Amino acid sequence: MKHALSLLCVCGALICLLLAPSAAMDSAAYGLALYARLLLPSLYPFFVLSALLVRLGFPRLLGRLAAPAARLLWGISGQGVSALVAGLCGGYPLGAQTAAELYRAGEISREEAEFLLGFCNNTGPSFLIGIIGSGLFSSRGLGLRLYAIHALSALLAGIALRPRALPISARSSSEPGHIQESFSTALVASVHQAVTSVLYVGGFVVCFCVVTGMLEASGFVAVCSAALSKFSGLSSPFVRALLTGLLELSSGVGAMQSLVPGRDLFLLCAFLSGWGGLSVQFQTLAVLSDTDLNTRFLLPGRVLSALFSAFFAFLLYPA
């Protein structure tokens, strides 16, 4: 039944592409422009540096410093904090990429890597402060507040999801450091890995922009927005931005341009940033494709982060 449904959806998508090729091309062009202008410049350097730091042994050093707090709050090793820091600094899906790299390097156990996926994969400050804060609200201060809410929500999601018993690092952070790769070898491998990862990200961004564009062109989004608006009492443009953002975060932010800045928009931005969009979930699966990691914490973590973010945004929006 699942296979038949998937095949039906793919055939339906093909028919839509044939019936509305111009809408698909415009959406793909928008996705490529978004990727080239915003995501590639902001993500690629962080992908390279994150992989390079793991290969040069930085998690071992961080593990010695952060182990007590990490163990107390989330039951993870100090090395695992590297994935959390990477996700909060670089944005989606760098946290997941770093957790996978730590697991491949043997710095953390499989169980710890899987748990980290629930709260280390987050929206970066450049997007929240630059795009949402400055772009939507004309206020870097609100962007900073939104980022602080986002980071706090991710930390709380990790505490809420914490398993009772979690095997931590495969190696103890107190062990002597093992021989690391030379810088040149690590740099070559890190650049190769980063290029592969950002291509995955770009592919899914463009794919979901096309999906969103086709749904818009078919009138499906308009019909759903009108129905949900009537049911919820929210404005149709607000519901449209919500539905679009649930699929692809950047497209959702584009749909928010027509909304009036205020508490409702701030709450919506917080919620969607915590969720990340369905596109981000697939981006995460892509960077984990060459591992055997289970993603059972991924969806609950995103849902919790979205709910926590919306709650704190409601409380902390300036009067």
Side-chain angles (χ1 to χ4, degrees):
M1 180 63 71
K2 289 182 179 180
H3 179 74
L5 182 60
S6 299
L7 186 60
L8 182 63
C9 290
V10 172
C11 290
L14 178 59
I15 293 172
C16 289
L17 288 176
L18 294 174
L19 293 177
S22 59
M25 291 178 62
D26 290 343
S27 299
Y30 170 77
L32 284 170
L34 179 70
Y35 173 67
R37 185 180 72 252
L38 174 64
L39 299 178
L40 181 60
S42 63
L43 280 179
Y44 178 71
F46 281 102
F47 271 120
V48 174
L49 288 175
S50 175
L52 192 58
L53 287 173
V54 171
R55 291 177 180 275
L56 294 179
F58 176 74
R60 187 63 61 88
L61 173 63
L62 184 61
R64 297 190 183 99
L65 299 175
R71 186 62 176 164
L72 176 65
L73 292 173
W74 306 289
I76 62 174
S77 65
Q79 291 97 312
V81 177
S82 299
L84 179 60
V85 171
L88 288 173
C89 292
Y92 297 115
L94 186 59
Q97 172 72 32
T98 306
E101 183 63 24
L102 289 169
Y103 171 58
R104 292 189 200 99
E107 296 289 347
I108 61 176
S109 66
R110 175 181 176 180
E111 292 83 1
E112 184 176 353
E114 291 173 351
F115 172 53
L116 281 168
L117 296 177
F119 67 104
C120 75
N121 213 28
N122 301 292
T123 306
S126 60
F127 187 86
L128 291 173
I129 299 172
I131 303 301
I132 295 182
S134 298
L136 287 180
F137 294 94
S138 301
S139 169
R140 291 181 62 85
L142 280 180
L144 284 167
R145 184 173 301 208
L146 189 61
Y147 177 66
I149 288 171
H150 184 72
L152 175 62
S153 299
L155 302 182
L156 290 176
I159 294 174
L161 289 172
R162 175 178 174 173
R164 290 186 177 181
L166 179 68
I168 55 172
S169 57
R171 298 188 183 114
S172 169
S173 60
S174 62
E175 291 179 6
H178 60 289
I179 299 175
Q180 304 293 342
E181 301 176 43
S182 67
F183 179 81
S184 59
T185 302
L187 180 61
V188 170
S190 299
V191 168
H192 179 271
Q193 178 182 315
V195 169
T196 302
S197 298
V198 295
L199 286 175
Y200 274 135
V201 171
F204 280 108
V205 168
V206 174
C207 177
F208 275 87
C209 282
V210 171
V211 170
T212 303
M214 297 304 294
L215 291 175
E216 290 270 12
S218 68
F220 180 80
V221 172
V223 171
C224 289
S225 298
L228 290 175
S229 175
K230 185 177 181 179
F231 175 77
S232 64
L234 299 171
S235 69
S236 183
F238 185 93
V239 176
R240 175 178 171 270
L242 172 61
L243 294 177
T244 305
L246 288 174
L247 288 175
E248 211 286 310
L249 178 58
S250 301
S251 298
V253 172
M256 294 176 198
Q257 298 289 340
S258 62
L259 300 179
V260 178
R263 185 190 295 270
D264 289 345
L265 181 58
F266 189 74
L267 191 151
L268 178 62
C269 290
F271 176 80
L272 291 179
S273 298
W275 165 243
L278 189 60
S279 173
V280 163
Q281 317 312 319
F282 281 95
Q283 293 170 31
T284 302
L285 294 177
V287 300
L288 300 175
S289 60
D290 61 344
T291 71
D292 60 347
L293 296 177
N294 188 295
T295 58
R296 65 186 186 277
F297 289 102
L298 182 60
L299 185 59
R302 296 271 48 84
V303 172
L304 281 175
S305 183
L307 294 176
F308 281 138
S309 295
F311 173 73
F312 288 121
F314 179 78
L315 293 180
L316 300 178
Y317 184 78

